[in-house]
Amino acid sequence: MLLHFILSLYTLPFTTLQDSNTSAIAKPNCPTHCGNVTVPYPFGIGKDTGCSLDDSFYVTCNSSYKPPKLFLGSTDDNIEIYSISESEFRIHNEFANRCYNRNGTISEDYDWSIELSAFTFSEKNKFTVLGCDDYSIISGRNDGGEFSSACMGVCSKAQDVAENGQCPGVGCCQTSIPKGLDYYSITLNSFQNHTGVWSFNRCGFAFVGEEGTFVFQGTNDLSLEGGVWERIDATVPVVVDWVIARDTRNCSEPSACKENSSCYVVEGGGYRCRCNNGYEGNPYLDPGCQDINECNDPGTHPCYGDCKNTPGSYNCTCPSGSFGDAKIENGCQHPNNSKSSSSIFIIAMVFGLLAVLSGILGIFYCIRRRKVMKLREKFFEKNGGLLLKEKIKSQGSHDAMTLFSIAQLRKASNNYSQENIIGRGAFGVVYKGVLSDKREVAIKKSIIVDESQAEQFINEVFILTQVIHRNVVKLLGCCLEEEIPVLVYEFISNNTRFHHIHSRLGGMSWLSWENRLRVAVEAAGALAYLHSETIMPIIHRDVKSTNILLDDNYTIKISDFGASRLIPLDHEHVTTLVKGTLGYLDPEYFNTSQLTEKSDVYSFGVVLDELITGKKVISADRSNDEKNIATYFVNSVTENRLHEIIEPRILDEGTLEQIQGVADLVKKCLNLQGCDRPTMKEVVLELGNLRKSTAHPWIQQQTFEETRSVAHEVGQCDIFEFSVVTSGYGKMGC
Ligand SMILES: *[C@@H]1O[C@H](CO)[C@@H](O)[C@H](O)[C@H]1NC(C)=O
Ligand SMILES: *[C@@H]1O[C@H](CO)[C@@H](O)[C@H](O)[C@H]1NC(C)=O
Ligand SMILES: *[C@@H]1O[C@H](CO)[C@@H](O)[C@H](O)[C@H]1NC(C)=O
Ligand SMILES: *[C@@H]1O[C@H](CO)[C@@H](O)[C@H](O)[C@H]1NC(C)=O
Ligand SMILES: *[C@@H]1O[C@H](CO)[C@@H](O)[C@H](O)[C@H]1NC(C)=O
Ligand SMILES: *[C@@H]1O[C@H](CO)[C@@H](O)[C@H](O)[C@H]1NC(C)=O
Ligand SMILES: *[C@@H]1O[C@H](CO)[C@@H](O)[C@H](O)[C@H]1NC(C)=O
Ligand SMILES: *[C@@H]1O[C@H](CO)[C@@H](O)[C@H](O)[C@H]1NC(C)=O
């Protein structure tokens, strides 16, 4: 039995292979392929060679290309064919585009039109327009007469543009085209010559292409950085319907369809031939369609008994001596007789053995399971589960916090599979997960907690679930049954961190001066909120650019509270273990282990520094004492070399006052003495004013001066007194 099964598996591919070439693809002595494109009759390679049905089906294979390219008509007609199927072929795409200079004059203008006299463009195509200040008109012609339609892409800010591949009209517009067009032309226009959107969108595009092949990549595509031209060129074909004799409405030449095929009329004119059921091959060529040997193809034509091929069908019957439906598995039944009783005995034996074995396994499993359950309970207790449960109960906030079970999270993360890993940090590994209610979450296995810290851990988890701020990644819950507590956060799908400043792909175009200021203001706002508006101040402790995420709507989300600490108002806070990331770590905290909110301010200063210089935080390319971006920056400012280190794009887009303002702020944040640094609130205030000054240049000077003097006063601190700081926390030291 088994041997037979294996044998039939092995013989299968060969028989199907043999089968497929019995019917002809092209006329005798005519080439069937051009490169890897199959050319079936009625198409034929070469003019006047007799290979094609008529001149409209004549194609050229140009082998001076490697691999050879197939063209409809001659090479000069320049319509490259990618593939040909029973009723369609796919051709190379061209698009219309129009690009503008900063001053609104046109730098490049290319309209597009194409005409196919014998064939028509398929309904499967869509008309797509890309741009933030563009509308495009497509006009064409079909049976019904002239057709025209328009689509417009409008947006005013880069962050309005969706990135999810859809074309909702913001930056990308898509519409259908009617059936039967044999001609279309595309022209592009702009409402305001791109003057309002030039910083992130300089060109408008419009093209017709197969539905589903173009996936909009948002601002990447609008800025041309993602290689949108090349992508359309390589992956978006135009689908063309082909028919024979488009100008007649019937099967005008029934003899065109060979044996065992039939003719059918195509809506819009013309006809095609189709093999009858159970036959395959080329219906336009002698000897016509061939019978399919279904018995050689058990995949689509299953047979569990004796299979016999018949013309156009097959006969599948139960082996002699049995009855039933052989086309379904175990569909044949043997009538009871002496011969089969021995096999029943063997089957019973096997089942008996299996039962005993599974019994033994079952007992082992139960013992193991009980052990595991005990362990889980232990972990739950050790991790402060009871405490947390009590807290949740006393606060009555069930929504805010979910206690997940091990099983739930294992299932969600595919048993913590490697493929689900979306991040790795000093404090743990982050997995992507999908809960049973389809919610996407980020699951973080982190921080080793010993029993003495359980209470604090629970406090922290609990407080974090109360942190509700649009710029802070929300903690949904946790799982305490594992040895190491597991945290579950909302999932930020885009995962574009703004460390993309350093990766030249994609991120660059979005990071305009305006967007950078927004990132800075939002991130600073979130930190200020953590420092001063939560029940107990929270110090993040690991502020860095990779912990600042951007979601689908380009909203900033501060993440990674693995290291963060609550600061009880009435306690001194000396941490035993200095945590943070090299380059961002506050040197004062490093030296004294004295943790204050000002450590976050320092780290934020480094982030801000990155944001305006676009330089790496630690770089071996810089000289010894300037390897660290903070030192490098402060030295540059002191030596009046600011313009040398600011990213050129920012010098273009920002005003001098703004850049100077941010640089001053960075310098203040990077002050070696914590109490000389501004608070996050002051940082927010100053950044907010700097940001506004683009919109209202006339008030700029005034507000700028004001905030400056305020910041200066607050930052006044001459002697750093350890004793004072330990008696309270944060600002009290200054
Ligand atoms: C099928 O292919 C074999 C070898 O590849 C060839 O010898 C044979 O002539 C082909 N049969 C037909 C009907 O084209
Ligand atoms: C033909 O070959 C090219 C590359 O050589 C490949 O990209 C394409 O998918 C192939 N087409 C088919 C129909 O196999
Ligand atoms: C093939 O293409 C090349 C380049 O476009 C052209 O010069 C040549 O004439 C073409 N050959 C044929 C046979 O059409
Ligand atoms: C607009 O800018 C382009 C290139 O930047 C320049 O060639 C052109 O002369 C400018 N036109 C006007 C009217 O300023
Ligand atoms: C756009 O440019 C055209 C010609 O270059 C000009 O006639 C028109 O006034 C401009 N429109 C706007 C809104 O700038
Ligand atoms: C098909 O239609 C044409 C006119 O449209 C007519 O002359 C011809 O006789 C028709 N043929 C058949 C087979 O009906
Ligand atoms: C076409 O099918 C009929 C019956 O379905 C069969 O008798 C005939 O041989 C077939 N012709 C070819 C060429 O396979
Ligand atoms: C299928 O086979 C059975 C038994 O061999 C026979 O009675 C029946 O007529 C066959 N059916 C066809 C369509 O050949």
Side-chain angles (χ1 to χ4, degrees), residues 91-147:
I91 62 173
H92 177 76
N93 203 339
E94 292 276 351
F95 48 79
N97 74 295
R98 191 183 264 200
C99 298
Y100 295 82
N101 293 316
R102 188 196 279 270
N103 59 19
T105 53
I106 294 171
S107 64
E108 198 179 323
D109 192 8
Y110 185 66
D111 291 342
W112 172 244
S113 66
I114 180 172
E115 179 158 18
L116 301 169
S117 49
F119 308 116
T120 59
F121 294 97
S122 164
E123 266 183 310
K124 286 185 187 170
N125 297 310
K126 291 273 178 192
F127 175 51
T128 307
V129 178
L130 299 182
C132 271
D133 183 20
D134 300 276
Y135 63 95
S136 175
I137 296 175
I138 180 170
S139 27
R141 183 181 58 214
N142 66 2
D143 261 7
E146 301 292 323
F147 148 85

Side-chain angles (χ1 to χ4, degrees), residues 17-18 21-24:
L17 245 169
Q18 231 165 36
N21 87 337
T22 49
S23 63

Side-chain angles (χ1 to χ4, degrees), residues 39-100:
V39 184
Y41 187 82
F43 292 87
I45 293 173
K47 199 175 167 73
D48 305 323
T49 50
C51 285
S52 62
L53 177 74
D54 60 32
D55 270 359
S56 58
F57 286 99
Y58 126 70
V59 292
T60 306
C61 186
N62 190 331
S63 21
S64 43
Y65 297 97
K66 296 283 172 270
K69 285 187 180 177
L70 186 68
F71 293 93
L72 183 64
S74 74
T75 304
D76 296 338
D77 295 332
N78 203 19
I79 300 177
E80 189 188 344
I81 298 182
Y82 293 143
S83 67
I84 303 176
S85 75
E86 270 171 30
S87 59
E88 301 161 345
F89 57 93
R90 283 173 173 69
I91 62 173
H92 177 76
N93 203 339
E94 292 276 351
F95 48 79
N97 74 295
R98 191 183 264 200
C99 298
Y100 295 82

